[in-house]
Amino acid sequence: MNGHRISIAGSLDDKLKSWLTGHPDGDERGALVLFRKMERTVLGLPPSARFVAVDVIEMDGDWVLDSSPAHLRINLRKFQDIYFRCEQERLELGFAHSHPRGGLDFSIKDDQNEQSILRGYAGCNGPEVSLVAMILADRHWRARVRPGAAPHRVTDVRHVCVLGTKLVVHMTKTGDAAPSEVLRRQEAAFGEPFNEKLRSLRVAIVGGGGTGSSVATLIARAGVGELIIIDGDLLEDSNLNRVRGYRRCDVGESKAATLARYIRDLGLMVTVVAIEAYVNESPEAVDAISSADLVFGCTDDVAGREVLNQAVYYYCQGLIDCGLTGKIGLDQKQQPYLRDHRGRVSTVLPESGGCLRCQGVVTEEKLSYESALKARPNLADLDPETLRAEYYLVGGGERAPGVGPFTSATADMAVATLFDLVRPYRRLPSDIRRDNIWYDFVHMVIYSNMPKDNADCFCCGPHGLLLAPENGSRLSMPSLGKLC
């Protein structure tokens, strides 16, 4: 599926809609929306930029020459300072306006206004710029993009995705594909245009093991249109009891490439690519993450989760992170038994849900232990008390057991969470949080942990990373390489 995409944080969407629909006489209103353009190439996927909204400027006073419920005439002389800001902050200009009478189509007058704005914009900032145009009618968005080099040329936007407490996906162009017989029963459960919304999404999965391979095959079958699988590991014999899409003859091969090939062979309407790298080490992997609407974290390393945790805010996207933990005991006959085995699904949106640091999934202690273990693998053989006393490290101990049904069940619930974000259906008890759900497979209970309420969190706090500029390096991390 071609077409650019727009992402807007829930608070900016609320501000924009409140302004555009709030004229006391019911007239059309306009606003400028400033976007950060994510246009980093992902080999194998069609070009599709993400325009991430970072600011809204209400057009009032001498911005407006005259207006009515059917038209809006704006003062083009007011744009010079905005052009300069876009150039200085490397932003793209957007123009949003309302159609109070409910028409969701762009008019001839809209064409004229957009071309006039773009000629001035491109004349000041160069032909490489783009103008994003948005219409709001009946609280639904429609959008398109014009390139500075050809103001008359229009590219429809695939969707406008609003990230609040859920993912509200405004389809701006529908009906370009015949209904799928494969997905007919899914549509019966969630209605129209649920399948089209899923098809419009670009999803990245970090980790192709037990949870990652299950997530990948499930969302491919669910109809997600574009899929990126990121994993630097090779398949091992010990993985085969809990993965999907692999065979014994694949042992020793790249997890990402093998899983992508399996999904292609299913013959579904999904474009899938593989990146054979670790997300905390690879500029290519981070660029692919920046292009995604939503990311599934299915990696078992803390450093990778730290990257995904920050990307949520820099790139304004959703993160569904899943993991497992467990303990094994010995009975009176010295036979092992499961004392504990639990799966976790954490849902983090830019302005909703505690981040992985506040949920305790990522901590400085875990990062330090993982870094030390990478430098000295022999530390994995030491017990936690020895590590703490002799190496000042917190961590270690027995790794979580790998049990296929529990791994798959956790992945199933992660994909079900995506469905709930796009078309809410869950009715959770008051003691269950949407951002943190644990599935206890031994005691057969579901519960939530209470994330920290940390106003000083550098990720999700009020002065955190939301819509922060990257300052020359990917995610402002020099180790991930400089941005062009």
Side-chain angles (χ1 to χ4, degrees), residues 134 279 366 398:
M134 302 174 64
V279 72
K366 292 177 181 178
E398 185 177 25

Side-chain angles (χ1 to χ4, degrees), residues 231-236 239 250-255 276 278:
D231 198 319
D233 281 342
L234 305 180
L235 185 69
E236 299 178 2
N239 302 139
D250 298 320
V251 170
E253 301 295 325
S254 160
K255 284 182 178 178
E276 300 169 44
Y278 300 109

